[in-house]
Amino acid sequence: MKYKPWSKRNPVKNYFQLPNEIFLLGLSPGALAVYSYLLYCENRSTYQCWPSYKTIGKAVRMSANTVRKYVCELEERQLISTESTTVTTRDGLKRNGNLLYTIRPIQLALDQFYDQQMAQMDVAAERQRVTKTLALRSDNRGSV
């Protein structure tokens, strides 16, 4: 058997980049898989793609309903946006098409995530302040 060295791979054609910041957002493994597949499919100039739930599910080994759940999670996190499309059949009838996915800039998702974390910290600080105030009031009543 003749030895064949590994072929050189074109980094632009055979790879896609996943932003490092994606791991800061605390996505579920399924949402991360769906997001990765959408990045794999996207047109690098328009940042859009339109695979069906079934196609995504086959690629990441999930059911269409599970893919739908993770697409909703990605939309809530502002990583993607979706638009409905229509298809005209040969008979001239309009049918629903696949969703058109637009990959949004990662900075928007990070900003939203940090805003949510700050809001949670504000709520926790307010709870702590109220608890401390109530504890002081109850201590003052007990000493009188």
Side-chain angles (χ1 to χ4, degrees):
M1 180 165 24
K2 187 175 178 183
Y3 172 73
K4 278 184 143 181
W6 290 101
S7 61
K8 298 271 183 186
R9 292 185 182 218
N10 183 343
V12 175
K13 279 188 174 180
N14 298 321
Y15 297 96
F16 67 96
Q17 291 186 345
L18 190 63
N20 293 339
E21 294 86 359
I22 197 72
F23 297 105
L24 301 174
L25 298 175
L27 290 175
S28 62
L32 188 59
V34 170
Y35 183 70
S36 298
Y37 185 74
L38 292 174
L39 283 177
Y40 164 75
C41 293
E42 82 172 335
N43 179 329
R44 304 289 191 276
S45 59
T46 62
Y47 307 108
Q48 295 181 328
C49 58
W50 54 92
S52 67
Y53 288 143
K54 188 176 180 181
T55 302
I56 298 169
K58 248 185 222 181
V60 296
R61 298 180 186 221
M62 295 178 193
S63 70
N65 285 336
T66 305
V67 169
R68 183 179 297 116
K69 176 180 84 170
Y70 291 129
V71 165
C72 289
E73 181 180 338
L74 294 172
E75 280 185 301
E76 288 171 5
R77 298 285 183 103
Q78 294 186 359
L79 288 166
I80 64 172
S81 61
T82 59
E83 296 174 44
S84 298
T85 61
T86 58
V87 176
T88 306
T89 63
R90 291 182 185 173
D91 303 340
L93 300 173
K94 281 195 170 187
R95 301 278 185 216
N96 289 333
N98 296 338
L99 290 176
L100 176 65
Y101 301 94
T102 303
I103 310 298
R104 301 184 70 194
I106 190 75
Q107 193 59 45
L108 296 175
L110 283 173
D111 291 344
Q112 180 196 21
F113 180 70
Y114 292 145
D115 289 345
Q116 287 176 346
Q117 282 188 325
M118 291 299 285
Q120 288 174 353
M121 287 176 54
D122 289 343
V123 167
E126 182 64 21
R127 280 187 186 146
Q128 196 172 26
R129 187 188 65 75
V130 167
T131 304
K132 189 175 181 181
T133 304
L134 291 174
L136 286 174
R137 284 184 184 170
S138 66
D139 287 346
N140 289 341
R141 287 183 186 166
S143 63
V144 174

